[in-house]
Coordinates of all heavy atoms in Angstrom, one line a residue:
M1 N 29.6 38.1 -2.2 CA 29.6 38.0 -3.7 C 30.9 38.1 -4.3 O 31.8 38.9 -3.8 CB 28.7 39.1 -4.3 CG 27.2 38.9 -4.0 SD 26.5 37.4 -4.7 CE 26.3 38.0 -6.4
T2 N 31.2 37.2 -5.3 CA 32.4 37.2 -5.9 C 32.4 38.3 -7.0 O 31.4 38.5 -7.7 CB 32.7 35.8 -6.5 OG1 34.0 35.9 -7.2 CG2 31.7 35.3 -7.4
R3 N 33.6 38.8 -7.3 CA 33.7 39.8 -8.3 C 34.5 39.2 -9.5 O 34.9 39.9 -10.4 CB 34.5 41.1 -7.8 CG 33.6 41.9 -6.8 CD 33.9 43.4 -7.0 NE 32.9 44.2 -6.3 CZ 32.0 44.8 -7.1 NH1 32.0 44.7 -8.4 NH2 31.1 45.5 -6.5
T4 N 34.8 37.9 -9.4 CA 35.5 37.3 -10.5 C 34.7 36.8 -11.7 O 35.2 36.4 -12.6 CB 36.3 36.0 -9.9 OG1 35.3 35.3 -9.2 CG2 37.4 36.5 -9.0
F5 N 33.3 37.1 -11.5 CA 32.5 36.7 -12.6 C 32.7 37.5 -13.9 O 32.7 38.7 -13.8 CB 31.0 36.8 -12.2 CG 30.1 36.1 -13.2 CD1 29.6 34.8 -13.1 CD2 29.6 36.9 -14.3 CE1 28.8 34.3 -14.1 CE2 28.7 36.4 -15.2 CZ 28.4 35.1 -15.1
K6 N 32.9 36.8 -15.0 CA 33.0 37.5 -16.3 C 31.9 37.1 -17.2 O 31.6 35.9 -17.4 CB 34.4 37.2 -17.0 CG 35.5 37.8 -16.2 CD 36.8 37.7 -17.1 CE 38.0 37.7 -16.4 NZ 38.6 36.5 -16.0
R7 N 31.2 38.0 -17.8 CA 30.1 37.7 -18.7 C 30.7 37.4 -20.1 O 31.2 38.2 -20.8 CB 29.1 38.8 -18.7 CG 27.8 38.4 -19.4 CD 26.7 39.3 -18.9 NE 25.4 38.9 -19.5 CZ 24.8 39.5 -20.6 NH1 25.3 40.5 -21.2 NH2 23.7 39.0 -21.0
V8 N 30.5 36.1 -20.5 CA 30.9 35.7 -21.8 C 29.8 35.1 -22.6 O 29.2 34.2 -22.1 CB 32.1 34.7 -21.8 CG1 32.6 34.3 -23.1 CG2 33.2 35.1 -20.8
I9 N 29.4 35.8 -23.6 CA 28.3 35.3 -24.5 C 28.8 34.3 -25.5 O 29.7 34.7 -26.3 CB 27.6 36.5 -25.2 CG1 27.0 37.4 -24.1 CG2 26.4 35.9 -26.1 CD1 26.3 38.6 -24.6
E10 N 28.4 33.1 -25.5 CA 28.8 32.1 -26.5 C 27.8 31.1 -26.7 O 27.0 30.7 -25.8 CB 30.1 31.5 -25.9 CG 30.0 30.7 -24.7 CD 31.3 30.2 -24.1 OE1 32.2 30.2 -25.0 OE2 31.3 29.9 -23.0
D11 N 27.7 30.6 -27.8 CA 26.9 29.4 -28.2 C 27.8 28.2 -28.1 O 28.9 28.2 -28.4 CB 26.3 29.6 -29.5 CG 25.3 30.8 -29.6 OD1 25.0 31.3 -28.5 OD2 25.1 31.2 -30.7
F12 N 27.1 27.1 -27.7 CA 27.9 25.9 -27.7 C 26.9 24.7 -28.0 O 25.8 24.8 -27.8 CB 28.7 25.6 -26.4 CG 27.8 25.6 -25.2 CD1 27.4 24.3 -24.7 CD2 27.4 26.7 -24.6 CE1 26.6 24.3 -23.5 CE2 26.6 26.7 -23.4 CZ 26.2 25.5 -22.9
V13 N 27.5 23.6 -28.4 CA 26.7 22.4 -28.6 C 27.0 21.4 -27.5 O 28.2 21.1 -27.2 CB 27.1 21.7 -30.0 CG1 26.4 20.4 -30.1 CG2 26.8 22.6 -31.1
C14 N 25.9 21.0 -26.9 CA 26.1 20.1 -25.7 C 26.8 18.8 -26.1 O 26.4 18.2 -27.1 CB 24.7 19.7 -25.1 SG 24.8 18.5 -23.8
E15 N 27.8 18.4 -25.4 CA 28.6 17.2 -25.7 C 27.9 16.0 -25.3 O 28.3 14.9 -25.6 CB 30.0 17.4 -25.2 CG 30.8 18.4 -25.9 CD 32.2 18.4 -25.3 OE1 32.7 17.5 -24.7 OE2 32.8 19.5 -25.4
K16 N 26.9 16.1 -24.5 CA 26.1 15.0 -24.0 C 25.0 14.6 -24.9 O 24.8 13.4 -25.2 CB 25.6 15.3 -22.6 CG 24.9 14.2 -21.9 CD 25.9 13.1 -21.5 CE 25.2 11.9 -20.9 NZ 26.1 10.7 -20.8
C17 N 24.1 15.6 -25.3 CA 23.0 15.3 -26.1 C 22.9 16.0 -27.4 O 22.0 15.9 -28.2 CB 21.7 15.7 -25.3 SG 21.4 17.4 -25.1
N18 N 24.0 16.8 -27.7 CA 24.1 17.4 -29.1 C 23.1 18.5 -29.3 O 22.9 19.0 -30.4 CB 24.1 16.4 -30.2 CG 25.3 15.6 -30.3 OD1 26.4 16.1 -30.0 ND2 25.2 14.4 -30.7
F19 N 22.4 19.0 -28.2 CA 21.6 20.1 -28.3 C 22.4 21.4 -28.5 O 23.4 21.6 -27.8 CB 20.7 20.2 -27.0 CG 19.7 21.3 -27.0 CD1 18.6 21.3 -27.8 CD2 19.9 22.4 -26.2 CE1 17.6 22.3 -27.8 CE2 19.0 23.5 -26.2 CZ 17.8 23.4 -27.0
A20 N 21.9 22.2 -29.5 CA 22.6 23.5 -29.7 C 22.1 24.5 -28.7 O 20.9 25.0 -28.8 CB 22.3 23.9 -31.1
V21 N 23.0 24.9 -27.8 CA 22.7 25.9 -26.7 C 23.1 27.2 -27.2 O 24.2 27.5 -27.5 CB 23.4 25.5 -25.5 CG1 23.0 26.4 -24.4 CG2 23.2 24.0 -25.1
S22 N 22.1 28.2 -27.1 CA 22.4 29.6 -27.4 C 22.8 30.2 -26.1 O 21.9 30.3 -25.2 CB 21.4 30.3 -28.2 OG 20.1 30.0 -27.7
G23 N 24.0 30.6 -25.9 CA 24.4 31.2 -24.7 C 23.9 32.6 -24.5 O 23.7 33.4 -25.4
N24 N 23.6 33.0 -23.2 CA 23.2 34.3 -22.8 C 24.2 35.0 -21.9 O 23.9 36.0 -21.4 CB 21.8 34.4 -22.2 CG 21.8 33.6 -20.9 OD1 22.8 33.1 -20.5 ND2 20.6 33.4 -20.4
G25 N 25.3 34.4 -21.9 CA 26.3 35.0 -20.9 C 26.4 34.3 -19.6 O 27.4 34.4 -18.9
Y26 N 25.3 33.7 -19.2 CA 25.2 33.0 -17.9 C 25.1 31.5 -18.1 O 25.1 30.8 -17.1 CB 24.1 33.6 -17.1 CG 24.2 35.1 -16.9 CD1 23.5 36.0 -17.6 CD2 25.1 35.5 -15.9 CE1 23.6 37.3 -17.4 CE2 25.2 36.9 -15.7 CZ 24.4 37.7 -16.4 OH 24.6 39.1 -16.2
T27 N 24.9 31.0 -19.3 CA 24.6 29.6 -19.6 C 25.9 28.9 -19.3 O 27.0 29.0 -19.8 CB 24.3 29.4 -21.1 OG1 23.3 30.4 -21.4 CG2 23.8 28.0 -21.3
N28 N 25.7 27.9 -18.3 CA 26.9 27.1 -18.0 C 26.5 25.6 -18.1 O 27.3 24.7 -17.7 CB 27.6 27.4 -16.7 CG 26.6 27.3 -15.5 OD1 25.5 26.8 -15.6 ND2 26.8 28.0 -14.5
H29 N 25.3 25.3 -18.5 CA 24.9 23.9 -18.6 C 23.8 23.8 -19.7 O 23.2 24.8 -20.1 CB 24.4 23.4 -17.3 CG 23.3 24.1 -16.7 ND1 23.5 25.2 -15.9 CD2 21.9 24.0 -16.9 CE1 22.3 25.6 -15.5 NE2 21.4 25.0 -16.1
C30 N 23.6 22.6 -20.2 CA 22.6 22.4 -21.3 C 21.3 22.4 -20.7 O 20.9 21.7 -19.7 CB 22.9 21.0 -21.8 SG 21.7 20.4 -23.1
P31 N 20.3 23.2 -21.2 CA 19.0 23.3 -20.7 C 18.2 22.0 -20.9 O 17.1 21.8 -20.3 CB 18.4 24.5 -21.4 CG 19.1 24.6 -22.7 CD 20.5 24.1 -22.3
K32 N 18.6 21.1 -21.9 CA 17.9 19.9 -22.2 C 18.2 18.8 -21.2 O 17.4 18.2 -20.6 CB 18.2 19.5 -23.6 CG 17.4 20.3 -24.6 CD 16.1 19.6 -24.8 CE 15.2 20.5 -25.7 NZ 13.8 20.4 -25.5
C33 N 19.5 18.4 -21.2 CA 19.9 17.3 -20.3 C 20.6 17.7 -19.0 O 20.8 16.9 -18.2 CB 20.8 16.4 -21.1 SG 22.5 17.1 -21.5
L34 N 20.8 19.1 -18.9 CA 21.4 19.7 -17.7 C 22.8 19.4 -17.4 O 23.3 19.7 -16.4 CB 20.5 19.4 -16.5 CG 19.0 19.7 -16.7 CD1 18.3 19.3 -15.4 CD2 18.8 21.2 -17.0
W35 N 23.5 18.7 -18.3 CA 24.9 18.4 -18.2 C 25.7 19.7 -18.4 O 25.3 20.5 -19.1 CB 25.4 17.3 -19.1 CG 25.1 15.9 -18.6 CD1 23.7 15.4 -18.4 CD2 25.9 14.9 -18.3 NE1 23.8 14.1 -17.9 CE2 25.1 13.7 -17.8 CE3 27.3 14.7 -18.2 CZ2 25.8 12.5 -17.4 CZ3 27.9 13.5 -17.9 CH2 27.1 12.4 -17.4
S36 N 26.8 19.8 -17.7 CA 27.7 20.9 -17.8 C 29.1 20.5 -18.2 O 29.2 19.3 -18.6 CB 27.7 21.7 -16.5 OG 28.5 22.8 -16.5
K37 N 30.0 21.4 -18.3 CA 31.3 21.0 -18.6 C 32.3 21.7 -17.7 O 32.1 22.9 -17.3 CB 31.6 21.4 -20.1 CG 32.6 20.6 -20.8 CD 32.8 21.0 -22.2 CE 34.1 20.4 -22.7 NZ 34.7 21.1 -23.9
H38 N 33.4 21.0 -17.3 CA 34.3 21.5 -16.4 C 35.3 22.5 -17.1 O 36.4 22.0 -17.5 CB 35.1 20.4 -15.7 CG 35.9 20.8 -14.6 ND1 36.7 20.0 -13.8 CD2 36.0 22.0 -13.9 CE1 37.3 20.7 -12.8 NE2 36.9 21.9 -12.9
V39 N 34.8 23.8 -17.2 CA 35.7 24.7 -17.9 C 36.0 26.0 -17.1 O 36.9 26.7 -17.3 CB 35.1 25.2 -19.2 CG1 35.0 24.2 -20.3 CG2 33.6 25.7 -18.9
D40 N 35.3 26.1 -15.9 CA 35.5 27.3 -15.1 C 36.2 27.0 -13.8 O 35.9 26.0 -13.2 CB 34.1 28.0 -14.8 CG 33.4 28.5 -16.0 OD1 34.1 28.7 -17.0 OD2 32.2 28.8 -15.9
V41 N 37.1 27.9 -13.4 CA 37.6 27.9 -12.0 C 36.7 28.8 -11.2 O 36.0 28.4 -10.2 CB 39.0 28.3 -11.9 CG1 39.5 28.4 -10.5 CG2 39.9 27.3 -12.7
H42 N 36.5 30.1 -11.7 CA 35.5 31.0 -11.2 C 34.5 31.1 -12.4 O 34.8 31.0 -13.5 CB 36.1 32.4 -10.9 CG 37.2 32.3 -9.8 ND1 36.8 32.0 -8.5 CD2 38.5 32.5 -9.9 CE1 37.9 32.0 -7.8 NE2 38.9 32.3 -8.6
P43 N 33.2 31.3 -12.0 CA 32.2 31.3 -13.0 C 32.5 32.2 -14.2 O 32.8 33.3 -14.0 CB 30.9 31.8 -12.3 CG 31.2 31.3 -10.8 CD 32.6 31.4 -10.7
G44 N 32.5 31.7 -15.4 CA 32.7 32.4 -16.6 C 34.2 32.6 -17.0 O 34.3 33.1 -18.1
D45 N 35.1 32.2 -16.2 CA 36.5 32.5 -16.6 C 37.1 31.5 -17.5 O 38.1 31.7 -18.1 CB 37.4 32.7 -15.3 CG 37.5 31.5 -14.5 OD1 37.1 30.4 -14.9 OD2 38.2 31.5 -13.5
R46 N 36.4 30.3 -17.6 CA 37.0 29.2 -18.6 C 38.4 28.9 -18.3 O 39.1 28.7 -19.3 CB 36.7 29.7 -20.1 CG 35.3 30.0 -20.4 CD 34.4 28.8 -20.3 NE 33.0 29.1 -20.8 CZ 32.0 29.5 -20.1 NH1 32.1 29.6 -18.7 NH2 30.8 29.7 -20.6
A47 N 38.8 28.9 -17.1 CA 40.2 28.8 -16.8 C 40.6 27.4 -16.4 O 41.7 27.0 -16.3 CB 40.6 29.7 -15.6
A48 N 39.6 26.5 -16.2 CA 39.9 25.1 -15.9 C 40.4 24.4 -17.1 O 39.9 24.5 -18.2 CB 38.6 24.4 -15.3
T49 N 41.4 23.6 -16.9 CA 42.0 22.8 -18.0 C 41.4 21.4 -18.1 O 41.7 20.7 -19.1 CB 43.5 22.7 -17.9 OG1 43.8 22.2 -16.5 CG2 44.2 24.1 -18.0
C50 N 40.5 21.1 -17.2 CA 40.0 19.7 -17.1 C 39.2 19.4 -18.4 O 39.5 18.5 -19.1 CB 39.1 19.5 -15.9 SG 38.4 17.9 -15.8
G51 N 38.1 20.2 -18.6 CA 37.3 20.0 -19.8 C 36.4 18.8 -19.7 O 35.7 18.4 -20.7
G52 N 36.3 18.1 -18.6 CA 35.4 16.9 -18.5 C 33.9 17.3 -18.4 O 33.6 18.4 -18.1
L53 N 33.1 16.3 -18.8 CA 31.7 16.6 -18.7 C 31.3 16.5 -17.2 O 31.9 15.7 -16.5 CB 30.9 15.5 -19.5 CG 30.9 15.7 -21.0 CD1 30.2 14.5 -21.6 CD2 30.1 17.0 -21.4
M54 N 30.3 17.4 -16.8 CA 29.8 17.4 -15.5 C 28.4 16.9 -15.4 O 27.5 17.5 -15.9 CB 30.0 18.8 -14.9 CG 31.5 19.2 -14.8 SD 31.8 20.8 -14.0 CE 31.6 20.3 -12.3
E55 N 28.2 15.9 -14.6 CA 26.9 15.2 -14.5 C 26.1 16.0 -13.4 O 26.6 16.2 -12.4 CB 27.1 13.8 -14.1 CG 25.8 13.0 -13.9 CD 26.0 11.6 -13.5 OE1 27.1 11.2 -13.1 OE2 25.0 10.8 -13.5
P56 N 24.8 16.2 -13.7 CA 23.9 16.8 -12.7 C 23.5 15.7 -11.7 O 22.8 14.8 -12.0 CB 22.7 17.3 -13.6 CG 22.7 16.5 -14.8 CD 24.1 16.0 -15.0
I57 N 24.1 15.8 -10.6 CA 23.8 14.7 -9.6 C 22.7 15.0 -8.6 O 22.1 14.0 -8.1 CB 25.1 14.3 -8.8 CG1 25.7 15.6 -8.1 CG2 26.1 13.6 -9.7 CD1 26.8 15.2 -7.1
S58 N 22.4 16.2 -8.3 CA 21.2 16.6 -7.6 C 20.8 18.0 -7.7 O 21.5 18.8 -8.3 CB 21.5 16.2 -6.0 OG 22.5 17.1 -5.6
V59 N 19.6 18.3 -7.2 CA 19.0 19.6 -7.3 C 18.7 20.0 -5.9 O 18.1 19.3 -5.1 CB 17.8 19.6 -8.1 CG1 17.2 21.0 -8.2 CG2 18.0 19.2 -9.6
A60 N 19.1 21.2 -5.5 CA 18.9 21.7 -4.2 C 18.1 23.0 -4.2 O 18.3 23.8 -5.2 CB 20.2 21.9 -3.4
S61 N 17.2 23.2 -3.3 CA 16.5 24.5 -3.4 C 17.2 25.5 -2.5 O 17.8 25.3 -1.5 CB 15.1 24.3 -2.7 OG 15.1 23.8 -1.5
K62 N 17.2 26.7 -3.0 CA 17.9 27.8 -2.4 C 17.0 29.0 -2.4 O 16.8 29.7 -3.4 CB 19.2 28.1 -3.2 CG 20.2 29.0 -2.5 CD 21.4 29.2 -3.4 CE 21.3 30.5 -4.1 NZ 22.4 30.8 -5.0
K63 N 16.4 29.4 -1.2 CA 15.5 30.5 -1.1 C 14.4 30.3 -2.2 O 13.6 29.5 -2.2 CB 16.2 31.9 -1.3 CG 16.9 32.3 0.0 CD 17.4 33.6 -0.1 CE 18.2 34.0 1.2 NZ 18.9 35.3 1.0
D64 N 14.4 31.2 -3.2 CA 13.3 31.1 -4.2 C 13.8 30.6 -5.5 O 13.2 30.7 -6.6 CB 12.6 32.5 -4.4 CG 13.6 33.6 -4.7 OD1 14.8 33.3 -4.7 OD2 13.2 34.7 -4.9
S65 N 15.0 30.0 -5.5 CA 15.5 29.4 -6.8 C 16.0 28.0 -6.5 O 16.0 27.5 -5.4 CB 16.6 30.3 -7.4 OG 17.7 30.3 -6.5
Y66 N 16.5 27.4 -7.5 CA 17.1 26.0 -7.4 C 18.5 26.0 -7.9 O 18.8 26.7 -8.8 CB 16.2 25.0 -8.2 CG 14.9 24.7 -7.5 CD1 13.8 25.6 -7.9 CD2 14.8 23.8 -6.5 CE1 12.6 25.3 -7.2 CE2 13.5 23.6 -5.9 CZ 12.5 24.3 -6.3 OH 11.3 24.1 -5.7
V67 N 19.3 25.2 -7.3 CA 20.7 25.0 -7.9 C 20.8 23.5 -8.2 O 20.3 22.6 -7.5 CB 21.8 25.4 -6.9 CG1 21.8 26.9 -6.7 CG2 21.6 24.7 -5.5
I68 N 21.6 23.3 -9.3 CA 22.0 22.0 -9.7 C 23.3 21.7 -9.2 O 24.3 22.5 -9.4 CB 21.9 21.9 -11.3 CG1 20.5 22.3 -11.8 CG2 22.3 20.5 -11.7 CD1 20.6 22.4 -13.4
V69 N 23.5 20.5 -8.6 CA 24.9 20.2 -8.2 C 25.5 19.3 -9.3 O 24.9 18.2 -9.7 CB 24.8 19.3 -6.9 CG1 26.3 19.0 -6.4 CG2 24.1 20.1 -5.8
H70 N 26.6 19.8 -9.9 CA 27.3 19.1 -11.0 C 28.5 18.5 -10.5 O 29.2 19.1 -9.7 CB 27.6 20.1 -12.1 CG 26.5 20.5 -13.0 ND1 26.0 21.8 -13.0 CD2 25.8 19.8 -13.8 CE1 25.0 21.8 -13.9 NE2 24.8 20.6 -14.4
R71 N 28.8 17.2 -10.9 CA 30.0 16.6 -10.6 C 30.8 16.2 -11.8 O 30.2 15.5 -12.7 CB 29.8 15.4 -9.7 CG 31.2 14.8 -9.2 CD 31.0 13.8 -8.1 NE 30.1 12.7 -8.5 CZ 29.4 12.0 -7.7 NH1 29.4 12.2 -6.4 NH2 28.6 11.0 -8.1
C72 N 32.0 16.6 -11.9 CA 32.9 16.3 -13.1 C 33.1 14.8 -13.1 O 33.6 14.2 -12.2 CB 34.2 17.1 -13.0 SG 35.3 16.8 -14.4
V73 N 32.8 14.2 -14.3 CA 33.0 12.7 -14.4 C 34.6 12.4 -14.6 O 34.9 11.2 -14.4 CB 32.3 12.1 -15.7 CG1 30.8 12.3 -15.5 CG2 32.7 12.8 -16.9
V74 N 35.4 13.4 -14.8 CA 36.8 13.1 -15.0 C 37.5 13.3 -13.7 O 38.3 12.4 -13.3 CB 37.4 14.1 -16.1 CG1 38.9 13.9 -16.2 CG2 36.7 13.8 -17.4
C75 N 37.3 14.4 -13.0 CA 38.1 14.7 -11.8 C 37.3 14.7 -10.5 O 37.9 14.8 -9.4 CB 39.0 15.9 -12.0 SG 37.9 17.4 -11.9
G76 N 36.0 14.6 -10.6 CA 35.2 14.5 -9.4 C 34.9 15.9 -8.7 O 34.2 15.9 -7.7
Y77 N 35.3 16.9 -9.4 CA 35.0 18.3 -8.9 C 33.6 18.6 -8.8 O 32.8 18.2 -9.8 CB 35.8 19.3 -9.8 CG 35.5 20.8 -9.5 CD1 36.1 21.4 -8.4 CD2 34.6 21.5 -10.4 CE1 35.8 22.7 -8.2 CE2 34.4 22.8 -10.1 CZ 35.0 23.4 -9.0 OH 34.7 24.7 -8.8
E78 N 33.1 19.1 -7.7 CA 31.6 19.4 -7.6 C 31.4 20.9 -7.5 O 32.2 21.6 -7.0 CB 31.0 18.7 -6.4 CG 30.9 17.2 -6.5 CD 30.1 16.6 -5.3 OE1 29.5 17.3 -4.5 OE2 30.3 15.3 -5.3
K79 N 30.3 21.3 -8.2 CA 30.0 22.7 -8.3 C 28.5 22.9 -8.3 O 27.8 22.1 -8.9 CB 30.6 23.2 -9.6 CG 30.5 24.7 -9.8 CD 31.4 25.1 -11.0 CE 31.3 26.5 -11.3 NZ 30.0 26.9 -11.9
N80 N 28.0 24.0 -7.6 CA 26.6 24.3 -7.7 C 26.4 25.3 -8.7 O 27.1 26.3 -8.9 CB 26.1 25.0 -6.4 CG 26.2 24.0 -5.2 OD1 26.3 22.7 -5.4 ND2 26.1 24.4 -4.0
N81 N 25.4 25.1 -9.6 CA 25.0 26.1 -10.6 C 23.5 26.4 -10.5 O 22.6 25.6 -10.3 CB 25.2 25.4 -12.0 CG 26.7 25.3 -12.3 OD1 27.4 26.3 -12.3 ND2 27.2 24.1 -12.6
E82 N 23.3 27.7 -10.6 CA 21.9 28.2 -10.6 C 21.2 27.6 -11.8 O 21.7 27.5 -12.9 CB 21.8 29.7 -10.6 CG 22.5 30.3 -9.4 CD 21.6 31.1 -8.6 OE1 20.4 31.2 -8.9 OE2 22.1 31.7 -7.6
T83 N 19.9 27.2 -11.6 CA 19.1 26.9 -12.8 C 18.7 28.1 -13.5 O 18.6 29.3 -13.0 CB 17.8 26.1 -12.3 OG1 17.1 27.0 -11.4 CG2 18.1 24.9 -11.6
N84 N 18.5 27.9 -14.8 CA 18.0 29.0 -15.7 C 16.5 28.8 -16.0 O 16.0 27.6 -15.9 CB 18.8 29.0 -17.0 CG 20.2 29.3 -16.8 OD1 20.6 30.2 -16.0 ND2 21.1 28.7 -17.6
K85 N 15.8 29.9 -16.5 CA 14.5 29.7 -16.8 C 14.2 28.8 -17.9 O 13.2 28.1 -18.0 CB 13.9 31.1 -17.1 CG 13.6 32.0 -16.0 CD 12.8 33.3 -16.4 CE 12.7 34.2 -15.2 NZ 13.9 34.8 -14.7
S86 N 15.2 28.6 -18.8 CA 15.1 27.8 -19.9 C 15.3 26.3 -19.6 O 15.2 25.5 -20.5 CB 16.0 28.3 -21.0 OG 17.3 28.4 -20.5
D87 N 15.8 26.0 -18.4 CA 16.1 24.6 -18.1 C 14.8 23.7 -18.2 O 13.7 24.2 -17.8 CB 16.6 24.5 -16.7 CG 18.1 25.0 -16.7 OD1 18.6 25.2 -17.7 OD2 18.6 25.2 -15.5
D88 N 15.0 22.5 -18.7 CA 13.9 21.6 -18.9 C 13.4 21.1 -17.5 O 14.2 20.5 -16.8 CB 14.5 20.4 -19.7 CG 13.3 19.5 -20.1 OD1 12.6 19.0 -19.3 OD2 13.2 19.2 -21.4
V89 N 12.2 21.5 -17.3 CA 11.6 21.1 -15.9 C 11.6 19.6 -15.7 O 11.9 19.1 -14.6 CB 10.3 21.7 -15.7 CG1 9.6 21.4 -14.4 CG2 10.4 23.3 -15.8
E90 N 11.3 18.9 -16.7 CA 11.2 17.4 -16.6 C 12.5 16.8 -16.3 O 12.7 15.9 -15.5 CB 10.6 16.8 -17.9 CG 9.3 17.5 -18.3 CD 8.3 16.5 -18.6 OE1 8.6 15.4 -19.1 OE2 7.1 16.7 -18.3
A91 N 13.6 17.4 -16.8 CA 14.9 16.9 -16.6 C 15.3 17.2 -15.1 O 15.9 16.4 -14.4 CB 15.9 17.5 -17.5
L92 N 14.9 18.3 -14.6 CA 15.1 18.7 -13.2 C 14.4 17.7 -12.3 O 15.0 17.2 -11.3 CB 14.7 20.1 -12.9 CG 15.5 21.2 -13.5 CD1 14.8 22.6 -13.3 CD2 16.9 21.3 -12.7
I93 N 13.1 17.4 -12.6 CA 12.3 16.5 -11.8 C 12.9 15.1 -11.8 O 13.0 14.4 -10.8 CB 10.9 16.5 -12.3 CG1 10.3 17.9 -12.0 CG2 10.1 15.4 -11.6 CD1 8.9 18.1 -12.6
A94 N 13.5 14.7 -13.0 CA 14.0 13.4 -13.1 C 15.2 13.3 -12.2 O 15.5 12.2 -11.6 CB 14.5 13.1 -14.6
I95 N 16.1 14.3 -12.0 CA 17.2 14.3 -11.1 C 16.8 14.1 -9.7 O 17.2 13.3 -8.9 CB 18.1 15.5 -11.3 CG1 18.7 15.6 -12.7 CG2 19.2 15.5 -10.3 CD1 19.3 16.9 -13.0
V96 N 15.7 15.0 -9.4 CA 15.2 15.0 -8.0 C 14.6 13.5 -7.7 O 14.9 12.9 -6.6 CB 14.1 16.0 -7.8 CG1 13.5 15.9 -6.4 CG2 14.7 17.4 -8.0
S97 N 13.9 13.0 -8.6 CA 13.2 11.7 -8.2 C 14.2 10.6 -8.2 O 14.1 9.6 -7.5 CB 12.1 11.4 -9.1 OG 12.4 11.7 -10.5
A98 N 15.2 10.7 -9.1 CA 16.2 9.6 -9.1 C 17.0 9.7 -7.8 O 17.4 8.6 -7.2 CB 17.3 9.9 -10.2
K99 N 17.2 10.8 -7.2 CA 18.0 11.0 -6.0 C 17.1 10.4 -4.9 O 17.6 9.7 -4.0 CB 18.2 12.4 -5.7 CG 19.3 12.7 -4.7 CD 19.4 14.1 -4.2 CE 20.3 14.2 -3.0 NZ 20.0 15.4 -2.3
N100 N 15.8 10.7 -4.9 CA 14.9 10.2 -3.8 C 14.8 8.7 -3.8 O 14.7 8.0 -2.8 CB 13.5 10.7 -4.0 CG 13.4 12.2 -3.7 OD1 14.4 12.7 -3.0 ND2 12.4 12.9 -4.1
K101 N 15.0 8.1 -5.0 CA 14.9 6.6 -5.1 C 16.1 6.0 -4.5 O 16.0 4.9 -3.8 CB 14.9 6.2 -6.6 CG 13.8 5.3 -7.0 CD 13.8 5.0 -8.5 CE 13.0 6.1 -9.3 NZ 13.1 6.0 -10.7
N102 N 17.2 6.7 -4.5 CA 18.4 6.2 -4.0 C 18.6 6.4 -2.5 O 19.4 5.8 -1.8 CB 19.7 6.7 -4.7 CG 19.7 6.3 -6.1 OD1 19.2 5.2 -6.5 ND2 20.4 7.1 -7.0
A103 N 17.8 7.3 -2.0 CA 17.9 7.7 -0.6 C 17.4 6.6 0.4 O 16.5 5.8 0.0 CB 17.1 9.0 -0.3
Ligands
ZN201 ZN1 22.6 18.4 -23.3
ZN202 ZN1 37.1 18.1 -14.0

C-alpha cells in the first residue's frame, strides 16, 4: 500500500459532459461519463502538470471490485482507478461491451 495518498475534498465540473461532480475526497473521475483528468502523480496529490482528459478505455475486475483503466488523451499515460458506488453502471457496461466488440 502506498502512503502517498492525500485526501482532498473538492467539487469539480466534468470537462467531458459538464456534470457537476461533488467530491468525497476519493473522486477522481466523473460518475456519469467516467472520464477522468490527468492531475495526479500519486492518487490525490494533483502534482501532474499534464491536465489532459483521461478516457475510460476498459474495465477490469479485481477481487470484489472493479477498476477503470483510464488513458490520457494528451500524453497516453494509463492509470487504474477504482470504481465508486456512485458510478453509472450503464456507462461501465458500455465500456465493457465496446471492448468486447473490438476483441
Ligand atoms: Zn462526465
Ligand atoms: Zn497526460
Side-chain angles (χ1 to χ4, degrees):
M1 289 298 279
T2 174
R3 292 210 162 259
T4 49
F5 188 92
K6 290 193 200 97
R7 190 158 185 256
V8 182
I9 299 175
E10 61 186 341
D11 296 342
F12 60 95
V13 175
C14 174
E15 290 180 25
K16 185 68 185 171
C17 70
N18 288 326
F19 181 73
V21 183
S22 41
N24 61 8
Y26 300 102
T27 313
N28 55 21
H29 57 269
C30 173
K32 278 279 173 204
C33 67
L34 307 179
W35 280 62
S36 184
K37 209 180 164 197
H38 191 185
V39 289
D40 294 344
V41 175
H42 298 292
D45 66 4
R46 303 296 188 261
T49 51
C50 176
L53 284 172
M54 295 187 74
E55 181 181 9
I57 55 169
S58 66
V59 177
S61 57
K62 190 182 101 179
K63 284 187 184 170
D64 51 359
S65 66
Y66 289 91
V67 292
I68 303 170
V69 183
H70 282 113
R71 184 167 59 205
C72 180
V73 297
V74 175
C75 70
Y77 173 76
E78 288 188 14
K79 184 169 177 290
N80 292 346
N81 286 303
E82 301 241 359
T83 54
N84 293 325
K85 284 190 182 69
S86 53
D87 286 349
D88 190 304
V89 176
E90 306 234 324
L92 284 169
I93 292 169
I95 295 167
V96 174
S97 46
K99 199 192 170 202
N100 289 344
K101 231 175 278 169
N102 294 335

